Amino acid sequence: MTAVPVQLSTRETPAQRSADEGRTPGGEEGIGWQIWALSGVLFFVYALVSLRTHERLLSNSYDLGIFEQAIRSYAHGELPVSELKGPDFPLLGDHFHPVLALLAPFYRVWPSPKTLLVAQAALVAASAIPLARWARRSLGLPAGLVIGAGYGLSWGVASAVGFDFHEVAFAAPLLACSLCALGQGRLRAAAVWALPLLLVKEDLGLTVTAIGLVIAWRGNRRIGLATAGIGLAGALLTLFLVLPAFSPTGSFGYWDRLGEPAGAGQGLTGMLYHHTIGLITPVTKVSTLLFVLAPTLFLALRSPLMWVAVPTLAWRFASNDSFNWGTGFHYSLVLMTIAFAAFVDALVRRGHVASLRRYLAGSLAVTLLLLPQFPLWQLVQPATWRSTPRLGAARDVMRLIPDGATVQASTNLVPQLTNRTSVSLFGWAGSRPDPEWIMVDTQIPDDRRWPLSDTAEQAALNTARANGYTEVADQDGFVLLQRN
């Protein structure tokens, strides 16, 4: 009997054919070494930027110092406390991030702030893998590499890895895995990956709720509504029971950020303005939203996955703290992960090779255009690699402080001391009083000087001298005082 050749269905889309062409010899489930290599390169870049920033005394007490004190507590088998927030301040009363305990074993081996920075680089680099693999599986290897590179070099990721360490680094790979599973119809896996977000930070319970609602909309109402319910319950439990139970004030300490900002008016009128028109004013908020969507050429708006960004956008824009509104710091890492997952989902839905190539080229072009404005660009700046005598002087002076001492220090010096001393912030009213040592960088630039102005700092140093502190060193602007 003559075998009849089987003809491929003519209904196969161009995008599917492109995906087939891009698969490795091992087929769809091939190892995809190119994507793993891309993630490795991203890890190297992130670690290099973070570590070099720290070595140049550009990391900060808020937040690298605080998080190192938390993980140092876990590493010693204790609940997390931070001297930077106040004497023996319980950090589980500030933010809910028990996931940090996972870093404790690594910190025991390498007790250094660099442990946190390297871990963050690894977590964020890993979050590119599920996004790139989904794009590769559905759209082809070139698409997977472009998506992985575009996400990995995006401004929101760069801002996060370029500013200290933050617990949301754990959220990036969890969100990426959850949303990629959701986009591919693996709804149970999407829920499983989403639920650990409850242990990363208190606001992410609402993100879990949003994921659950999209799961329900996608077809599995039982799993979706259960996930949404757990997310909402977790957020409420954390905000109204857990955090107040640990907080020295007996309540969540950031409710006041949802109040009316200065100039918004008072009473009901001010409240209505702040929570309606105020969500899109001032223009910084609109600019941030445009920046979030621009790397996807706004195609992310065509995917229901973009709804998962609503809780994060809502709390950020409802805040009266202007730091929450812009493109700096770590606040946009979660948004960037969501936007790129929605981007892949939208590209898969379109299924046209010609438009696919245009969108990928445009996305990568926008990412590269924005790159010089954000921290990854530091790697090509000569000043980043220049070692100055002043950096050596800082380390020479710090060596005079013995291990285990109580210290007050300038914000840029705190992360250099958190691994071996009990350090708090010089000039901060809530710092532990009468430390054994005080170390101040009197030449820190004005745009990084905090919490004291230059004049107030000099006055505080003179007060310390008058109260019995002796000057031990004054080298290249680094002043070290010892209590008599």
Side-chain angles (χ1 to χ4, degrees), residues 61-404:
S61 58
Y62 282 55
D63 293 315
L64 180 57
I66 290 174
F67 282 113
E68 185 181 359
Q69 289 180 336
I71 293 168
R72 187 181 179 189
S73 298
Y74 280 126
H76 288 87
E78 302 167 352
L79 289 177
V81 297
S82 174
E83 288 288 295
L84 288 162
K85 298 288 292 186
D88 299 318
F89 186 94
L91 280 177
L92 289 179
D94 185 54
H95 288 297
F96 187 70
H97 38 49
V99 71
L100 294 177
L102 294 177
L103 296 183
F106 301 98
Y107 191 84
R108 285 294 294 244
V109 175
W110 188 21
S112 165
K114 296 178 180 180
T115 301
L116 283 65
L117 299 175
V118 170
Q120 176 172 259
L123 289 164
V124 178
S127 68
I129 294 175
L131 293 167
R133 284 176 62 87
W134 178 19
R136 168 182 171 268
R137 182 177 295 114
S138 302
L139 303 169
L141 179 60
L145 294 175
V146 170
I147 290 293
Y151 167 74
L153 299 175
S154 64
W155 67 267
V157 171
S159 293
V161 299
F163 180 69
D164 293 354
F165 168 90
H166 299 89
E167 72 277 81
V168 292
F170 283 94
L174 291 170
L175 261 177
C177 288
S178 178
L179 295 178
C180 288
L182 180 50
Q184 296 172 84
R186 297 183 289 114
L187 304 184
R188 187 182 300 273
V192 170
W193 283 110
L195 291 176
L197 290 169
L198 293 168
L199 303 178
V200 176
K201 198 176 178 186
E202 62 277 356
D203 64 285
L204 290 174
L206 299 179
T207 301
V208 174
T209 300
I211 291 173
L213 293 177
V214 177
I215 290 173
W217 181 83
R218 277 282 175 101
N220 195 322
R221 296 186 62 185
R222 182 177 63 84
I223 290 179
L225 294 179
T227 302
I230 293 172
L232 182 59
L236 295 176
L237 181 68
T238 302
L239 289 169
F240 292 100
L241 289 179
V242 178
L243 288 167
F246 283 98
S247 173
T249 65
S251 65
F252 180 49
Y254 296 94
W255 288 126
D256 59 344
R257 292 193 181 182
L258 298 180
E260 297 85 353
Q266 300 297 320
L268 180 60
T269 301
M271 182 181 69
L272 290 175
Y273 175 87
H274 178 54
H275 294 291
T276 53
I277 298 174
L279 289 175
I280 57 173
T281 58
V283 72
T284 304
K285 300 176 183 179
V286 176
S287 298
T288 296
L289 185 57
L290 294 176
F291 267 70
V292 168
L293 296 170
T296 75
L297 304 184
F298 298 88
L299 195 65
L301 290 172
R302 299 188 180 185
S303 168
L305 298 185
M306 201 61 207
W307 284 104
V308 178
V310 170
T312 299
L313 288 169
W315 77 254
R316 284 184 59 184
F317 292 171
S319 171
N320 57 25
D321 185 346
S322 60
F323 285 118
N324 296 146
W325 306 340
T327 56
F329 310 109
H330 59 289
Y331 297 116
S332 296
L333 177 59
V334 165
L335 294 177
M336 201 55 57
T337 307
I338 297 169
F340 269 84
F343 185 39
V344 176
D345 187 46
L347 289 174
V348 171
R349 288 166 176 265
R350 289 186 66 84
H352 298 291
V353 171
S355 60
L356 169 67
R357 290 170 178 164
R358 287 196 298 270
Y359 277 119
L360 290 174
S363 172
L364 193 57
V366 170
T367 293
L368 296 178
L369 186 66
L370 295 175
L371 193 60
Q373 303 178 47
F374 294 93
L376 296 184
W377 195 248
Q378 295 173 15
L379 293 178
V380 298
Q381 302 300 309
T384 301
W385 307 106
R386 191 178 299 128
S387 292
T388 66
R390 199 163 183 274
L391 295 178
R395 293 184 174 88
D396 289 342
V397 174
M398 280 187 280
R399 289 191 191 100
L400 300 176
I401 302 174
D403 293 352

